[in-house]
């Protein structure tokens, strides 16, 4: 019984030690990026880099990134980010996905909402 418990504790320790450390967005990454075309009904997807080197994700009714009034805004903090510039992964309690900076003005994003309400794959967003 003690050996089984010791093995289980060793496995838990190995799994916990393998988790990668947070890696916020690079400081030179900043601005607002809007999808090239609507992703849901008539709404555009917007990614706005925040001061904590994470980002906000929300919908816009226009291609310049104006937030929808009373619209939901999802926040990914720098602590939710993993990876290295230009490729990042993120996971929050609400959503997970990838963020790739193709250039200083173009992002490719994939987002999966945990409740299954929406999935966006390889959406190109351009800096405004």
């Amino acid at each position: 019984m003690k050996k089984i418990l010791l093995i289980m504790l060793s496995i838990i320790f190995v799994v916990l030690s393998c988790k990668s450390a947070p890696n916020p967005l690079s400081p030179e990454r900043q601005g607002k990026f809007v999808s090239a075309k609507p992703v849901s009904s008539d709404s555009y997807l917007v990614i706005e880099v925040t001061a904590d080197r994470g980002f906000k994700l929300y919908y816009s009714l226009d291609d310049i990134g104006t937030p929808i009034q009373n619209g939901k805004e999802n926040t990914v903090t720098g602590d939710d980010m993993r990876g290295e510039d230009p490729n990042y992964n993120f996971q929050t309690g609400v959503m997970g996905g990838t963020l790739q900076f193709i250039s200083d003005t173009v992002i490719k994003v994939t987002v999966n909402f945990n409740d299954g309400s929406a999935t966006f794959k390889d959406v190109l967003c351009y800096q405004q």
Side-chain angles (χ1 to χ4, degrees), residues 55-66:
F55 64 91
K56 295 178 188 175
L57 185 137
Y58 55 88
Y59 295 111
S60 169
L61 289 176
D62 56 35
D63 61 357
I64 60 171
T66 307

Side-chain angles (χ1 to χ4, degrees), residues 38-113:
V39 294
S40 175
S41 302
D42 293 331
S43 301
Y44 293 82
L45 187 67
V46 180
I47 296 169
E48 186 173 345
V49 178
T50 58
D52 71 350
R53 295 174 41 204
F55 64 91
K56 295 178 188 175
L57 185 137
Y58 55 88
Y59 295 111
S60 169
L61 289 176
D62 56 35
D63 61 357
I64 60 171
T66 307
I68 294 174
Q69 189 173 11
N70 299 323
K72 184 168 174 117
E73 184 177 275
N74 295 291
T75 301
V76 176
T77 67
D79 291 338
D80 298 326
M81 305 293 294
R82 304 283 186 274
E84 293 183 18
D85 195 45
N87 301 305
Y88 296 93
N89 297 313
F90 59 91
Q91 181 68 50
T92 69
V94 176
M95 63 183 176
T98 61
L99 195 68
Q100 179 184 21
F101 286 87
I102 295 173
S103 71
D104 289 339
T105 59
V106 181
I107 293 177
K108 182 169 71 172
V109 64
T110 296
V111 180
N112 295 305
F113 287 90

